[in-house]
Amino acid sequence: MLVAMTPDLLLQSEHIAQTGLPDLTQPQYLNQLADRLPLALAIFALLAIGLGAGMALFNFSLRNYPPNVVIGDWVMQSAQLMRGLQQIFLVTAIVLLGFGLCSTLANRQSNWEQARVAQKTPTLAAGELIQQSSPQVSYITQEPFTYTTQLDGKLVKVQDKRDVTRQSSVSGSNLQVTISPLKTNTSNSNNFTLDFRGDYQITNPIGTTNRFVFQIAPPTGYSLLQNFEVERNGKKLASTSPGEYRFPLQIAPGSISKLRVNYRAQGSPQWVYSAKAGSLDNFRMTIASSVPRLNFVSDVAPTKTTTNGDRQTFTWAFDRDASVQKPFGVAIGAPVAAQTGTLPLLLLLAPGIFGWWMLLLCLSIPMRLQDIAISGLAFFAGMFALTYFSRIGDFVSVWSGVSIVLLLLVWGLGRGNWRIALAAIISTLVGAVIPIYSFSIAEGSSVNGTRGMVLSAVALLSVFWLVARNWYDWYRLEPSERPLPERSHSEPEAIFTRHDLLEESAKYNQLNPGSPTQEEIERRRLRDEGIENK
């Protein structure tokens, strides 16, 4: 499996290196690891020498201590302390190595999730933007003017009237824009259609003229424009000259005229409306689209945003005298995955979850060093499998399968004792399985604290289990129920009966201080059989 995943682990490493997390496939991190390796080995050697010396002193004192309760208790506590130091050292080493593995997997998973989302929405080049400008309205009126001319050799002032064009604005706008992807050639970034329908209202507040001109330019930035037309009362208007898009109107003084502009454009799904620094009166614009990652642009936030499944609707509404300096509308934002990032977060927290699980196991059942090492390999192999199998399956289903395998493996910690095996299963459920299941909760629920409440409940269950196990003796394991050490075929059977003899001897001395201890009886029997010093 590791060989099969190697090409994927080496994919797009230049982007992942920028995250700042340790990545075992990056040369710079490998160089840093190589620089710090001598110091780590020196610390490891000192710890190993210290632990070895402590164990040697312990074994030496074990051979010669007298049958004294105080000495026996001290020896037993020293043995437990040495065993605990070894376990702590091994768990720490596994956590550090696991963090390197999990951070590498988290980088790869995050990059894969973002690439998957980016595939659903084509990457658009800079400048791929369709922009529609607001229309301009003007009216023609006659104004008096005076000019001087020469008549019969004399200069004469003449009073006359001439046509003057004055600028006005629309008194109301209602725009409907629908953006939808085409069903063919999905790899093309311009593979979107845009249906525009704009209803404009023009009021004639001037009682001296009825001649108006409505001018609207087609959008810019499109790749194809179709059916661009201006209608009045259902009739298509003709422009004064081709290419100018100027439409003369006759509007009676004090009356209102309504115009509709329609067109269909093909190109980028990014569309904005420009008011050209003019005022917007009774303005309303609605943009509906099912394009992923579409959001409003500029500083003009929509008045209302609604979502219905995959369809989003953005609405801007201004009552009167609204001045907008910048174009506003919708555009595709950065490729950020919705409902992603859960698994990378879990991978970063996995070493901590493993440490919590090991704490529960070590405080619940007898754990040998090889048990801790095997448990660490099983846990991080499960995280490795969860990372890659979740790409082809559901997170809950994949972790359910991994959990079943992990629980079957943990059952073997009992080594034939079902009470120890059941304690290991309980510790695994509250220490590893359920905490990882909590990460399957949706992001929207986690905002409300659901995931945190689940993790808090699991922590309380773990504490309750440890208290019941160690303080109230509700699930007490007697020394006779503890598994014996692994035996060697060359050693006699009698030597293995000394397992947990110190604990049994101390307990027996407390109950029968005047009687010979179990250790003394065993020593005498071994001496009589002649195998004590072999």
Side-chain angles (χ1 to χ4, degrees):
M1 182 174 63
L2 289 174
V3 176
M5 298 300 178
T6 299
D8 180 75
L9 287 175
L10 298 178
L11 182 63
Q12 296 180 344
S13 58
E14 65 275 6
H15 301 291
I16 299 170
Q18 300 176 359
T19 60
L21 292 174
D23 194 330
L24 300 182
T25 62
Q26 295 299 312
Q28 59 268 29
Y29 288 110
L30 293 178
N31 292 333
Q32 294 177 6
L33 183 62
D35 294 338
R36 299 174 182 177
L37 186 60
L39 179 60
L41 292 178
I43 296 175
F44 174 79
L46 293 177
L47 291 177
I49 293 174
L51 289 176
M55 293 183 64
L57 293 175
F58 168 74
N59 291 331
F60 180 78
S61 62
L62 180 64
R63 293 175 57 89
N64 300 287
Y65 77 91
N68 184 287
V69 175
V70 177
I71 298 299
D73 290 342
W74 179 82
V75 173
M76 183 179 64
Q77 293 175 3
S78 300
Q80 293 177 349
L81 178 61
M82 296 300 299
R83 187 184 307 167
L85 290 176
Q86 293 176 348
Q87 293 176 346
I88 291 175
F89 177 77
L90 181 58
V91 170
T92 303
I94 295 176
V95 167
L96 292 177
L97 293 176
F99 178 74
L101 172 65
C102 289
S103 62
T104 302
L105 293 177
N107 285 329
R108 294 296 179 266
Q109 181 66 20
S110 178
N111 183 271
W112 179 82
E113 289 178 353
Q114 299 301 325
R116 184 182 180 184
V117 173
Q119 289 177 356
K120 295 182 179 180
T121 303
T123 303
L124 302 177
E128 291 186 354
L129 184 72
I130 300 178
Q131 177 172 313
Q132 175 64 57
S133 299
S134 61
Q136 296 181 359
V137 177
S138 60
Y139 61 90
I140 302 174
T141 183
Q142 288 188 335
E143 295 182 354
F145 76 103
T146 302
Y147 64 93
T148 303
T149 184
Q150 187 174 9
L151 181 63
D152 297 333
K154 298 181 179 180
L155 295 177
V156 180
K157 290 184 178 180
V158 180
Q159 300 288 336
D160 201 354
K161 291 183 178 181
R162 62 181 177 183
D163 292 340
V164 178
T165 301
R166 301 295 183 185
Q167 297 296 323
S168 181
S169 62
V170 295
S171 58
S173 305
N174 187 5
L175 313 181
Q176 300 285 337
V177 182
T178 303
I179 304 174
S180 57
L182 293 175
K183 296 182 179 180
T184 58
N185 194 18
T186 56
S187 61
N188 187 0
S189 62
N190 289 329
N191 191 38
F192 296 88
T193 59
L194 187 145
D195 294 313
F196 177 86
R197 188 189 71 184
D199 293 324
Y200 296 97
Q201 178 178 289
I202 303 175
T203 303
N204 184 2
I206 303 174
T208 58
T209 184
N210 61 354
R211 294 185 297 169
F212 281 76
V213 176
F214 178 80
Q215 182 177 357
I216 182 171
T220 60
Y222 60 85
S223 58
L224 176 64
L225 181 65
Q226 304 177 76
N227 304 327
F228 183 89
E229 59 185 12
V230 179
E231 298 178 354
R232 182 183 184 185
N233 299 326
K235 296 182 180 180
K236 183 179 180 181
L237 300 180
S239 62
T240 55
S241 59
E244 289 190 359
Y245 300 98
R246 294 171 55 90
F247 303 91
L249 304 171
Q250 296 290 329
I251 304 176
S255 62
I256 298 175
S257 180
K258 295 182 179 180
L259 304 178
R260 172 169 290 183
V261 179
N262 297 308
Y263 64 81
R264 167 171 286 191
Q266 180 177 333
S268 167
Q270 305 181 118
W271 187 89
V272 294
Y273 188 79
S274 174
K276 295 183 178 180
S279 62
L280 298 176
D281 293 334
N282 299 322
F283 179 85
R284 182 180 179 87
M285 181 175 71
T286 302
I287 302 177
S289 176
S290 58
V291 179
R293 297 192 288 111
L294 204 65
N295 205 346
F296 68 92
V297 295
S298 77
D299 299 330
V300 184
T303 308
K304 182 180 179 182
T305 302
T306 59
T307 302
N308 184 12
D310 296 335
R311 189 177 183 85
Q312 287 183 300
T313 303
F314 304 89
T315 303
W316 288 262
F318 310 110
D319 292 335
R320 61 181 63 182
D321 295 334
S323 178
V324 182
Q325 298 292 330
K326 298 180 180 179
F328 60 99
V330 294
I332 293 181
V336 177
Q339 301 294 334
T340 61
T342 300
L343 190 52
L345 175 62
L346 171 61
L347 290 170
L348 293 179
L349 297 178
I353 296 176
F354 170 75
W356 177 254
W357 178 41
M358 284 296 102
L359 179 64
L360 293 179
L361 284 178
C362 292
L363 294 178
S364 301
I365 63 174
M367 290 288 290
R368 303 172 300 177
L369 296 181
Q370 54 265 44
D371 296 334
I372 296 177
I374 295 174
S375 300
L377 290 176
F379 179 84
F380 288 106
M383 299 308 299
F384 194 93
L386 176 63
T387 301
Y388 285 98
F389 281 105
S390 61
R391 299 185 180 183
I392 59 176
D394 181 65
F395 178 90
V396 176
S397 302
V398 174
W399 180 241
S400 298
V402 174
S403 299
I404 293 175
V405 175
L406 185 61
L407 292 175
L408 290 177
L409 295 176
V410 168
W411 181 267
L413 289 174
R415 289 184 286 275
N417 190 316
W418 69 271
R419 287 172 57 83
I420 296 179
L422 183 59
I425 292 294
I426 295 174
S427 300
T428 303
L429 286 174
V430 299
V433 175
I434 299 179
I436 294 179
Y437 264 125
S438 67
F439 282 85
S440 64
I441 299 176
E443 291 293 333
S445 299
S446 66
V447 173
N448 298 327
T450 304
R451 181 184 297 170
M453 288 188 292
V454 172
L455 292 175
S456 300
V458 170
L460 292 176
L461 285 176
S462 303
V463 174
F464 177 79
W465 159 250
L466 292 178
V467 169
R469 165 73 179 82
N470 294 278
W471 290 0
Y472 293 96
D473 292 337
W474 289 355
Y475 199 85
R476 180 179 177 83
L477 299 178
E478 299 296 335
S480 58
E481 292 184 297
R482 300 185 180 183
L484 295 177
E486 293 183 358
R487 62 185 62 184
S488 173
H489 296 289
S490 60
E491 296 177 329
E493 177 76 18
I495 292 180
F496 296 96
T497 62
R498 300 188 58 178
H499 178 69
D500 279 338
L501 191 57
L502 290 176
E503 184 175 348
E504 295 180 1
S505 176
K507 181 179 179 181
Y508 188 84
N509 284 342
Q510 294 174 358
L511 298 177
N512 306 280
S515 303
T517 63
Q518 293 291 333
E519 185 188 14
E520 291 177 343
I521 298 174
E522 185 64 20
R523 277 177 171 273
R524 293 172 185 175
R525 188 176 67 83
L526 294 176
R527 184 173 61 251
D528 294 340
E529 294 179 1
I531 62 174
E532 182 181 15
N533 297 323
K534 292 183 179 182

